[in-house]
Amino acid sequence: MSLPLQEHDYIGLSEVSPKGNSDINERSISKGLNLKATELRLGLPGSESPEREDVNLYGLNSLVSSGAKRVFSDTLNGGSEVDLVKNGGLFSPRSAEKVVEKKPQSSAAKAQVVGWPPIRSFRKNTMAISPPKNDNNADAKSGSSCIYVKVSMDGAPYLRKIDLTMYDSYSELSLGLKKMFSCFTIGQCGSHVIPARDKQSEGLLMDFLSGSEFVLTYEDKDGDWMLVGDVPWDMFIETCKRIRIMKSSDAVGLAPKGIEKCRDGN
Amino acid sequence: MDPVRKRTKDLSKSVDSAHLAPFPDEVLEKVLSLVKSHKDRSSVSLVCKDWYNADRWSRSKIFIGNCYSVSPEIVARRFPNIRSVTLKGKPRFSDFNLVPQNWGADIHSWLVVFAQVYPFLEELRLKRMVVSDESLEFLANSFPGFKVLSLLSCDGFSTDGLKAIATHCKNLTELDIQENGIDDLGGGWLSCFPETFVSLEVLNFASLNSDVTFDALERLVSRCKALRVLKVNKHISLEQIQKLLLRAPQLMEVGTGSFQQELVPRQFAELETAFGSCKNLHTLSGLWEASSVYLPVIYPACANLTYLNLSYATLQSDELSKLLPNCSNLRRLWVLDTVEDKGLEAVGSSCPLLEELRVFPADPFDQDMVHGVTESGFVAVSSGCRKLHYVLYFCRQMTNAAVATIVKNCPDFTHFRLCIMNPGQADYLTNDPMDEAFGAVVKTCTKLQRLAVSGLLTDKTFEYIGKYAKNLETLSVAFAGSSDRGMQSVMEGCPKLRKLEIRDCPFGNEALLSGLDKYESMRSLWMSACNLTMNGCRQLAKNMPRLNVEVIKDEESDDSEADKVYVYRSVVGPRRDAPPFVLTL
């Protein structure tokens, strides 16, 4: 399912979570490397560049600055939707011009560098035909269909997938997500990423998620981003396509009523 | 036996070295014919003129690693008695679509010469060559004693070409068609083997897509009593493979078809029996879509298995954990990353004799980390399988510490190919580059012959490689390095380097030219999406006339940039079949 380019009037962000580089960013800024200043941004002159985490890995930044003219440039598929943010921000000035109009969209838009990862065509084509077993297995086992949605969190290096049928209510979902993403929120505190095991950090985590730091949002069938908790649970699991744990500061423009609800509810 | 032309030696001429009676040619040739490895044969031929000639006349197998390094005419002149030819064509990165169509490596001109000079040719093994149906037909009709055809990663032919082979090669013992870009026009080719044809020993059509006539296959298998390798394609069902196994219990290597058929208990039992009756079975592959339901039919054969290829079966960790305790004799295991770290733990605990592990990604282009293996799986294998020396590992996260532990557990690595799938990704725990990981590999694994690096890497990695990798022959680099210094370190070190392939790295002309002294001792160098310019390449070509410096032009790029550069040594100069987009400087 690939969505057409959509105008998000409340959030100019891409829906992709930058890959685990917020930690690097913090550390490198503290080391005196001001990556933000050297950051290559998407956008035509005069257009508003979306505020997002700096995703340039320091090594790759030096790659670009040392004159690697064609890192990715000739390997990006010009015709497909190229998700530069997913690529970790690797792009040369030339390719930035090429792809500036394309915004990373639905999860169906996958970044494809020619010939990477290095898998032979036969294997690529074969595996493309067979669907991932996991979903089939789950179907067979439970007897009823599972509802898998991807959950991303701003600042986390990777996404998780959850089965919405495993939860009966918003509070269960919220708890489940907190557990799943606890390791990343601790990282956000500034220390290195460790799973939240001790009670002290749990407490910190709870405060984090139930406080003003993060809100749960989801994308519904129409492609709109909503705050989790606005609709009855049953309706939610039917219409929810993916979930994003977003920083409150970015959730500007979503129904204020919803924000209040979220805060109280959790 | 076929007549072997001998050159008679004039004994009187060599009386000068009277302290040793001249060694009769016949004896020398007989002795040298026992030297099999082509590298040793090469060394033999360099000893002295007599030995060169003895090797010349007695050599029956030839290996040409780069088809453009030499011409068929030169080969024919030097070696009059060749029966077996192995040829490799395109650069390896053509497997990943980095080499445009019509680049070259066509086998036909070779076949034309061989037909004249080697009418008794028996074996042809090709890798990354272009082979047309016409060529296959020509082959089938030119060599009456032809026995072995092996095509790996080739393209340009269709199943019609296979029809010609099946129809005309009356003495065929081996037909091995693997992973080729071919036009599959139907499975009728298999029915072209005549009913009188009984000599087949190896049949591998696992990567062909269309249905063959099962009846014809069953009859073929029944009458070829010496059949030892049978690898069928996805269209062969479980029930059918059971019938085939019954016909050929002597099989040593089996590639099954699809495992998705619904079986009743009787069929299940029959399959179990069939697998159990194959007492010589040591290699098992195929297993398309195998699931925990029917996988147990192979258990009776597992104890003897040394090579198990599960890389087309999307197994989960528990399924693998149940299977592996039956396979304690495994030396080689290929799996998909759907087995996850837990599955790999089972590998570590069940397969102590394991020497080779390959973990392929089930969903390589999905950047969401839903499935997959991590550094823990790799560590788990290394701690249980101390004899591990070959690994190919696709993962989405890795740490320097884990790699250090892995090579400490298994210091005997000869092939270490690690692919962290997100380009330029750092150690996910420390956010450091992965330099120390590969540093540990080259420092600890002194026997390392092949290395593929990935992740966030600075020049330090290459300094380590240059300094420590004394036995390294093949190096693959992508999205790595910080400056020319990186590649220079490799070119200044690595005394045994033969193949270097680089893509998307910040290495420029200075790096390229730092290898001037090295390229003639290497088979080839590939550099794409780096910082090379035409001028740099011209300079290389000017200084090294015995190298072919080829630039593959990309339409979209600047005239001064050299997007894809392929450099190789050759005794025949620039190739005459280069397409317009390949410039030889």
Side-chain angles (χ1 to χ4, degrees):
Chain A
M1 52 150 210
S2 94
L3 298 173
L5 280 172
Q6 285 203 359
E7 192 78 79
H8 294 302
D9 55 5
Y10 50 90
I11 300 167
L13 280 160
S14 68
E15 56 181 56
V16 176
S17 59
K19 292 221 155 196
N21 297 322
S22 46
D23 289 326
I24 303 172
N25 194 33
E26 280 167 27
R27 286 164 62 135
S28 50
I29 282 185
S30 63
K31 284 182 191 162
L33 293 171
N34 190 355
L35 292 178
K36 263 211 141 49
T38 55
E39 183 190 45
L40 290 167
R41 329 247 337 219
L42 288 176
L44 293 163
S47 69
E48 195 94 86
S49 222
E51 277 303 304
R52 56 176 170 81
E53 315 276 351
D54 186 297
V55 293
N56 285 311
L57 300 172
Y58 86 92
L60 293 164
N61 229 10
S62 65
L63 234 177
V64 174
S65 56
S66 70
K69 289 178 246 170
R70 283 175 304 285
V71 173
F72 270 66
S73 67
D74 69 333
T75 52
L76 288 172
N77 284 330
S80 65
E81 293 176 297
V82 174
D83 187 349
L84 289 175
V85 176
K86 272 190 174 171
N87 277 335
L90 288 172
F91 52 94
S92 71
R94 280 171 59 218
S95 62
E97 283 157 33
K98 269 189 218 172
V99 300
V100 79
E101 301 85 11
K102 300 180 215 242
K103 265 207 201 139
Q105 284 302 309
S106 68
S107 51
K110 291 174 183 170
Q112 294 219 15
V113 179
V114 171
W116 191 264
I119 315 274
R120 282 199 188 150
S121 311
F122 176 71
R123 179 171 292 282
K124 257 194 299 189
N125 298 337
T126 308
M127 297 318 294
I129 297 166
S130 329
K133 253 268 295 291
N134 197 41
D135 296 315
N136 295 342
N137 244 4
D139 281 345
K141 282 182 198 147
S142 65
S144 63
S145 52
C146 306
I147 303 173
Y148 285 102
V149 296
K150 293 182 184 170
V151 186
S152 63
M153 176 166 151
D154 290 352
Y158 53 85
L159 287 77
R160 303 297 295 269
K161 220 180 196 183
I162 60 169
D163 175 7
L164 285 178
T165 61
M166 303 300 279
Y167 307 100
D168 285 328
S169 66
Y170 283 116
S171 45
E172 271 185 36
L173 172 68
S174 182
L175 197 64
L177 289 178
K178 277 176 197 170
K179 282 192 186 149
M180 210 181 267
F181 285 89
S182 55
C183 48
F184 303 125
T185 54
I186 297 303
Q188 287 295 315
C189 285
S191 62
H192 60 274
V193 175
I194 40 160
R197 293 241 168 83
D198 53 285
K199 285 221 150 156
Q200 206 179 18
S201 25
E202 274 254 16
L204 204 62
L205 151 70
M206 297 299 242
D207 290 336
F208 244 42
L209 281 184
S210 59
S212 56
E213 201 67 29
F214 290 97
V215 289
L216 285 176
T217 65
Y218 73 99
E219 185 183 6
D220 70 2
K221 282 188 173 151
D222 302 322
D224 297 321
W225 282 91
M226 321 274 280
L227 280 174
V228 167
D230 277 353
V231 300
W233 173 256
D234 292 324
M235 194 189 293
F236 167 71
I237 60 174
E238 265 167 46
T239 59
C240 172
K241 284 216 318 270
R242 59 183 293 165
I243 293 175
R244 179 174 164 196
I245 306 174
M246 199 187 277
K247 286 198 163 162
S248 307
S249 50
D250 296 333
V252 176
L254 290 175
K257 192 173 66 169
I259 294 177
E260 246 66 67
K261 217 178 187 177
C262 242
R263 280 197 191 148
D264 297 331
N266 294 331
Chain B
M1 285 294 188
D2 298 308
V4 174
R5 291 175 299 185
K6 289 199 213 294
R7 184 184 57 96
T8 53
K9 193 173 188 174
D10 190 348
L11 287 175
S12 61
K13 291 219 176 106
S14 43
V15 152
D16 290 349
S17 45
H19 51 285
L20 274 179
F23 216 49
D25 288 339
E26 292 87 343
V27 179
L28 188 56
E29 284 174 28
K30 187 76 186 163
V31 170
L32 293 183
S33 65
L34 297 173
V35 177
K36 303 286 182 202
S37 127
H38 65 268
K39 282 183 191 166
D40 289 342
R41 276 292 193 139
S42 260
S43 310
V44 157
S45 68
L46 295 172
V47 169
C48 65
K49 206 160 179 196
D50 283 348
W51 283 42
Y52 176 89
N53 287 322
D55 168 62
R56 223 188 121 207
W57 288 94
S58 65
R59 184 108 61 123
S60 63
K61 284 178 82 152
I62 185 152
F63 171 88
I64 298 166
N66 174 5
C67 64
Y68 287 120
S69 62
V70 75
S71 72
E73 290 83 8
I74 291 179
V75 173
R77 258 204 311 271
R78 179 170 168 190
F79 298 111
N81 293 318
I82 296 293
R83 300 284 169 116
S84 162
V85 176
T86 302
L87 265 170
K88 294 188 182 180
K90 302 187 212 178
R92 196 180 76 96
F93 277 176
S94 72
D95 282 350
F96 316 124
N97 300 328
L98 289 183
V99 176
Q101 292 285 347
N102 303 319
W103 177 85
D106 195 315
I107 189 61
H108 203 81
S109 56
W110 290 82
L111 289 177
V112 167
V113 172
F114 290 163
Q116 288 174 335
V117 190
Y118 307 135
F120 303 111
L121 188 69
E122 293 175 358
E123 301 182 1
L124 190 64
R125 295 189 164 86
L126 304 180
K127 190 169 186 182
R128 293 189 202 100
M129 301 282 302
V130 172
V131 184
S132 66
D133 286 341
E134 289 73 35
S135 296
L136 287 175
E137 208 172 322
F138 181 77
L139 169 72
N141 288 310
S142 307
F143 306 103
F146 196 72
K147 290 186 178 161
V148 170
L149 181 63
S150 168
L151 301 174
L152 174 55
S153 254
C154 296
D155 64 273
F157 63 101
S158 77
T159 41
D160 284 351
L162 297 181
K163 276 187 186 168
I165 299 289
T167 309
H168 300 293
C169 297
K170 313 246 180 286
N171 296 305
L172 200 69
T173 60
E174 186 171 325
L175 183 60
D176 185 359
I177 312 292
Q178 280 191 61
E179 300 197 37
N180 302 291
I182 96 170
D183 277 328
D184 200 328
L185 304 171
W189 59 272
L190 189 106
S191 311
C192 292
F193 284 112
E195 292 295 324
T196 49
F197 171 74
V198 295
S199 51
L200 204 59
E201 296 172 24
V202 173
L203 178 61
N204 178 358
F205 63 96
S207 55
L208 292 183
N209 284 324
S210 50
D211 248 317
V212 298
T213 312
F214 180 70
D215 221 38
L217 176 61
E218 196 178 1
R219 285 197 313 270
L220 178 68
V221 168
S222 302
R223 63 180 187 265
C224 295
K225 304 292 181 201
L227 194 68
R228 52 185 166 83
V229 175
L230 177 63
K231 297 183 182 177
V232 301
N233 70 8
K234 276 197 283 199
H235 290 278
I236 301 294
S237 69
L238 276 174
E239 202 179 337
Q240 289 173 329
I241 199 76
Q242 187 256 342
K243 290 197 184 130
L244 295 173
L245 292 179
L246 276 186
R247 300 280 184 192
Q250 78 283 0
L251 284 172
M252 299 167 78
E253 299 185 23
V254 167
T256 72
S258 163
F259 251 62
Q260 258 198 341
Q261 184 183 353
E262 295 261 339
L263 295 177
V264 299
R266 176 191 52 87
Q267 288 171 308
F268 186 101
E270 281 174 355
L271 259 168
E272 263 188 322
T273 311
F275 275 104
S277 68
C278 295
K279 303 292 181 201
N280 300 322
L281 192 59
H282 59 68
T283 293
L284 191 55
S285 60
L287 302 165
W288 308 90
E289 295 131 11
S291 71
S292 51
V293 189
Y294 298 129
L295 202 52
V297 301
I298 71 170
Y299 287 5
C302 285
N304 292 332
L305 286 183
T306 56
Y307 174 22
L308 182 57
N309 183 349
L310 295 168
S311 65
Y312 293 103
T314 49
L315 294 183
Q316 309 294 304
S317 55
D318 52 339
E319 292 167 313
L320 189 67
S321 307
K322 277 198 212 112
L323 168 63
L324 285 183
N326 299 296
C327 310
S328 50
N329 248 328
L330 278 184
R331 308 291 200 269
R332 298 172 73 190
L333 178 64
W334 294 21
V335 291
L336 278 180
D337 65 358
T338 49
V339 302
E340 298 187 342
D341 290 333
K342 226 161 160 282
L344 294 181
E345 282 165 29
V347 175
S349 52
S350 312
C351 307
L353 302 175
L354 199 69
E355 296 173 16
E356 175 180 325
L357 175 70
R358 299 196 196 197
V359 182
F360 295 94
D363 212 351
F365 304 111
D366 187 352
Q367 304 209 14
D368 309 334
M369 206 160 86
V370 175
H371 295 295
V373 293
T374 72
E375 76 282 5
S376 337
F378 199 168
V379 171
V381 175
S382 75
S383 90
C385 309
R386 298 300 172 115
K387 298 191 177 188
L388 201 62
H389 70 82
Y390 191 121
V391 79
L392 170 60
Y393 200 82
F394 284 86
C395 59
R396 290 186 173 91
Q397 69 185 51
M398 190 49 63
T399 66
N400 288 303
V403 177
T405 305
I406 289 159
V407 294
K408 191 150 162 260
N409 290 335
C410 304
D412 297 327
F413 272 113
T414 55
H415 298 67
F416 194 92
R417 304 165 63 188
L418 177 62
C419 181
I420 303 167
M421 287 192 273
N422 193 17
Q425 183 172 299
D427 177 322
Y428 84 100
L429 283 183
T430 66
N431 286 321
D432 290 332
M434 296 297 296
D435 294 336
E436 294 309 312
F438 294 104
V441 172
V442 293
K443 283 178 201 166
T444 315
C445 306
T446 52
K447 300 182 202 155
L448 196 70
Q449 292 168 22
R450 183 170 178 183
L451 179 65
V453 298
S454 59
L456 179 64
L457 301 175
T458 70
D459 288 343
K460 197 111 194 65
T461 298
F462 302 101
E463 282 168 30
Y464 285 140
I465 294 174
K467 187 169 171 195
Y468 294 102
K470 299 288 182 212
N471 284 312
L472 192 66
E473 297 179 15
T474 306
L475 178 62
S476 306
V477 186
F479 307 107
S482 337
S483 74
D484 284 339
R485 186 73 214 119
M487 185 174 161
Q488 272 175 287
S489 307
V490 172
M491 302 318 288
E492 285 162 14
C494 299
K496 294 202 182 161
L497 195 66
R498 290 189 303 114
K499 288 178 278 185
L500 179 56
E501 44 186 30
I502 301 174
R503 61 166 293 180
D504 294 273
C505 295
F507 303 143
N509 296 334
E510 205 178 315
L512 178 71
L513 295 170
S514 69
L516 271 186
D517 293 331
K518 218 178 181 70
Y519 298 129
E520 272 187 13
S521 64
M522 288 169 59
R523 184 188 294 175
S524 64
L525 165 75
W526 168 279
M527 286 177 76
S528 59
C530 296
N531 284 345
L532 299 179
T533 69
M534 294 297 288
N535 281 333
C537 296
R538 278 190 202 105
Q539 216 183 326
L540 174 64
K542 193 162 144 210
N543 283 312
M544 305 296 295
R546 284 187 302 201
L547 295 178
N548 281 352
V549 179
E550 294 182 6
V551 177
I552 299 173
K553 288 301 284 176
D554 182 9
E555 281 164 8
E556 291 169 8
S557 72
D558 224 312
D559 277 335
S560 64
E561 285 160 2
D563 312 293
K564 293 177 181 169
V565 179
Y566 186 47
V567 179
Y568 57 91
R569 63 184 176 188
S570 176
V571 296
V572 285
R575 55 186 176 110
R576 273 163 266 154
D577 65 351
F581 55 82
V582 173
L583 305 173
T584 306
L585 303 177

